[in-house]
Amino acid sequence: MTAKRKAAAAALLAAVTLLGGCSEVEQLLEGETAWTPQEADAISIAADGSVTEIVQDTLEESYYDVDELESMITSEIAEYNSEHGEDTIRTERFESEGTSVTLELWYSSAEDYAEFNNVEFFSGSIIGAQIEGYLFDTTFYQVQDGTASDSAVSSSKVFQDMSVQVVIVQAPMEVHVEDGSVLYISTNAEMISADTVSATGEQDDEEEALVLPSSKVYEGEEATYEEQKLANRVYILYDTE
């Protein structure tokens, strides 16, 4: 919040307090409240396509020094930026308390997040995802006001509005969308709020029969790497404000 906006907020707080109410202030300033992830690994997708990653971890290995960890991250980011452009990735925060570490990184694009972390990740349009080879071969829950429906729908329902955006991640991870609200989630995810999803990768037992055979990991059989990857793939579709 800028100094000018802080001054305006302070004046607003004083005015409303004189009128005998505090809840109005909380509601008016709600937009200034930052998203705080509930899970250890989380990402936030901005309207401009940039990605913010927040990782909260505990260093259990006594030989792993916090300063060495920060130095290693800084070095890897510098190397990546030297090849992809200055400020492609930024360290926004690195905090440690005892063995607990919180790291916040900013990526200029979904592609940079995927390449730097060597993970499967997509953020963009449905058509863009299809061009990249994503088949949407799973079932979905429709979401209204942050609550997922009890019954699953097929991807044909999802495709009725091709203008929405989609995030595709590998579970487990918390996913937050800025300036938007979630419309559909694949059935291996859960809603946290209207704009935040817990991509668990866990399929409800009653929904397993609805998943296409290509994405089902059969009981009693050891899943291949590709089968496990497919089972842990989470689709999140959302609109933008």
Side-chain angles (χ1 to χ4, degrees), residues 40-53:
D41 296 315
I43 57 171
S44 180
I45 314 297
D48 63 1
S50 62
V51 177
T52 297
E53 176 188 25

Side-chain angles (χ1 to χ4, degrees), residues 89-132:
I89 303 176
R90 295 196 306 262
T91 301
E92 300 287 9
R93 179 164 54 114
F94 185 95
E95 298 175 352
S96 63
E97 184 176 348
T99 57
S100 298
V101 174
T102 299
L103 173 66
E104 181 176 339
L105 299 179
W106 177 90
Y107 303 82
S108 61
S109 71
E111 292 78 13
D112 291 308
Y113 172 83
E115 183 176 347
F116 183 76
N117 292 284
N118 192 29
V119 294
E120 178 185 25
F121 181 76
F122 177 87
S123 178
S125 67
I126 292 178
I127 294 176
Q130 291 176 315
I131 292 174
E132 290 293 321

Side-chain angles (χ1 to χ4, degrees), residues 2 35 37 39 52 54 78-79 103 109 112 115 120-121 134 140 145 152 174 191 195 198 208 216 231:
T2 65
W35 159 70
E39 300 178 14
T52 297
I54 299 178
E79 181 180 354
L103 173 66
S109 71
D112 291 308
E115 183 176 347
E120 178 185 25
F121 181 76
Y134 291 102
F140 295 83
D145 299 323
E174 181 176 333
M191 295 301 301
D195 56 11
S198 176
E208 285 190 356
K216 182 170 175 58

